[in-house]
Amino acid sequence: MSQGSDIGLIGLAVMGQNLVLNIESRGFAVSVYNRTSATTDEFVARHPGKRLTGCHALPDFVASLARPRKLMIMVKAGAAVDAVIEQLIPLLEADDIIIDGGNSLYTDTERRDAWLTPLGLRFVGAGVSGGEEGARKGPAIMPGGPASTWGVMQPIFEAIAARVDGQPCVMHIGPGGAGHYVKMIHNGIEYGDMQLICEAYSLLQAAGMDTDDMAAVFEQWNEGELQSYLIQITAKALAQRDAETGQPVVDLILDKAGQKGTGQWTQLNAAENAVVISTINAAVEARVLSSQKAQRVLASRQLQGPPARLAVDRATLVAQVHDALYASKIVSYAQGLDLMRTMSDKKQWALDLGSIASIWRGGCIIRARFLNRITEACQADPTLGNLMLAPFFQQVLNRGQMAWRQVVAQAVGAGIPVPAFSASLAYYDSLRTERLSANLLQAQRDFFGAHTYERIDRPAGQWFHTDWPEVID
Ligand code: 6PG
């Protein structure tokens, strides 16, 4: 007699369906449940001969699973996850494992963990990255939750995850909400990468390059240091023609960016923890401003600026933009890592940043060649304060910084917005400035609020106040 399915999956939207097919293709039996039974029946009928058990009712679904039961929820993040959990609780037994594979906010995952643990159930918040194709062929998976769940989940997770150099792109990230937290940071970094690429595109376009020229540039970049999934799809997107009009598709797409919220969550978390993630912030804000199209159209007619054109040698510009993009990307990852390190210390998650960079090399949206370098840097110096100071990255930044400045200066001169390039450069320059202008800021604080200041000619920790002159309005 069969002992039951190896795992059950709830929620047969596209990601759920693809994950089921991936899991089944690796030799596991999967039970499936969807709120609308017709979807379950259609899905199972469309895949005859596979080890799938379609269930119409949750009690049957739960009863169909081998113990400890492993139930993966793939429904919309938020209230729907809680609703499914509520229904499952009375049906489950001690040690069963509920896995939430959606883009849940990590604090929701912590709340669910605290809710389920006293009931004897185990909860795994697992970030899953890679979109539909990744879910089917091999995503990067970032599971958190109790360490005891890893041994149970490892065979399935490792079988379905993407692989790079033979290594599966999955690891136990840490307790509680750590998995979903790291997925959130992944998404914040994804926002940064995407915005930086868009700024590169806007500069090449301003130099008169057409979409085919630009597709060739991105294709060429994808052969080198910038090799990444996002550069690769950018080349393909630029080359794509609209079937109806024959025009480049990108030229026909309205310039209003959407966002589901993970970038904003990252922003909020950084603000709460006083960590600078200016590249990601710029990327999120660029999306927000892009969405205010009507106001931008109005402003474009009323506020003046130079013509957004770059009269420069194209080959030189391409080389400069390459360096600016690479350097800005390094800053963005340095900031993302800084935030993860800060939270890891605060929450005692013991995040292994080098290994996290390593599982991001495959399956996920930010997969890229240079992640190897981050892993190497973290392993070479586990106490490394800022990624930018690792010898390899120092050398890339020192080599590219002049071109980066030229790119930002040319963009500013031509009135072309490059918020993420310039925020990254400002971070770089702030970090390497030994004496910032904050001395004056401290004087201002002491002037109006007697907040006191430290002096450069006295030991740190001694606080001084000046009797500033009275201001007569
Ligand atoms: C991934 C993606 C995926 C999704 C995000 C981004 O890692 O597979 O990040 O999770 O595309 O939700 O969506 P928005 O751009 O709409 O925020």
Side-chain angles (χ1 to χ4, degrees), residues 83-106:
V84 172
I85 294 174
E86 295 257 18
Q87 294 173 63
L88 288 175
I89 287 173
L91 305 172
L92 298 180
E93 287 170 317
D95 287 342
D96 285 348
I97 302 173
I98 299 179
I99 305 122
D100 172 16
N103 263 337
S104 291
L105 181 59
Y106 79 96

Side-chain angles (χ1 to χ4, degrees), residues 75 90 123 157 177 207 250 272 304 308 351 357 391 393 416 435 450 461:
V75 302
F123 186 64
F157 280 157
V250 287
E272 275 165 16
Q304 294 179 355
L351 296 181
F393 292 110
I416 301 164
R435 183 165 166 81

Side-chain angles (χ1 to χ4, degrees), residues 135-167:
R136 178 68 186 86
K137 296 184 182 159
I141 313 176
M142 291 150 256
S148 71
T149 58
W150 177 239
V152 185
M153 294 311 302
Q154 191 175 5
I156 299 181
F157 280 157
E158 289 192 348
I160 64 170
R163 278 180 180 264
V164 177
D165 299 336
Q167 294 300 310

Side-chain angles (χ1 to χ4, degrees), residues 15 103 128-131 183 186-187 190-191 194 258-263 287 364-365:
M15 285 293 283
N103 263 337
V128 178
S129 177
K183 174 59 169 52
H186 164 284
N187 279 30
E190 172 186 306
Y191 274 53
M194 292 169 79
Q259 51 185 323
K260 295 204 196 80
T262 46
R287 287 199 195 191
C364 66
I365 304 295

Side-chain angles (χ1 to χ4, degrees), residues 330-349:
I330 292 168
V331 168
S332 181
Y333 281 68
Q335 295 176 344
L337 256 56
D338 193 15
L339 183 52
M340 281 198 286
R341 190 184 305 107
T342 303
M343 279 293 283
S344 177
D345 291 347
K346 179 173 157 182
K347 310 275 291 183
Q348 298 184 326
W349 280 337

Side-chain angles (χ1 to χ4, degrees), residues 185-194 196-197 226-230 275-280 325-341 353 356-357 360-361 364-372 374-375 378 385-388 393 424 427:
I185 300 294
H186 164 284
N187 279 30
I189 290 174
E190 172 186 306
Y191 274 53
D193 276 356
M194 292 169 79
L196 291 169
I197 290 172
L226 289 176
Q227 185 285 326
S228 66
Y229 171 71
L230 286 168
V275 175
V276 178
I277 54 158
S278 46
T279 312
I280 295 171
L325 182 49
Y326 194 17
S328 301
K329 187 175 161 95
I330 292 168
V331 168
S332 181
Y333 281 68
Q335 295 176 344
L337 256 56
D338 193 15
L339 183 52
M340 281 198 286
R341 190 184 305 107
L353 301 184
I356 289 169
W360 284 347
R361 289 178 308 158
C364 66
I365 304 295
I366 64 169
R367 58 188 184 259
R369 178 175 296 166
F370 104 127
L371 286 160
N372 270 326
I374 297 185
T375 306
C378 294
N386 188 309
L387 183 71
M388 291 158 62
F393 292 110
S424 310
Y427 180 86

Side-chain angles (χ1 to χ4, degrees), residues 205-252:
Q205 199 176 30
M209 296 177 75
D210 66 22
T211 46
D212 289 334
D213 297 333
M214 291 188 279
V217 168
F218 280 98
E219 232 168 69
Q220 182 205 328
W221 285 354
N222 198 44
E223 300 297 315
E225 295 164 309
L226 289 176
Q227 185 285 326
S228 66
Y229 171 71
L230 286 168
I231 293 279
Q232 189 189 5
I233 64 164
T234 299
K236 290 195 186 305
L238 287 165
Q240 186 76 29
R241 299 270 159 177
D242 176 49
E244 201 182 311
T245 62
Q247 307 248 354
V249 175
V250 287
D251 289 351
L252 298 170

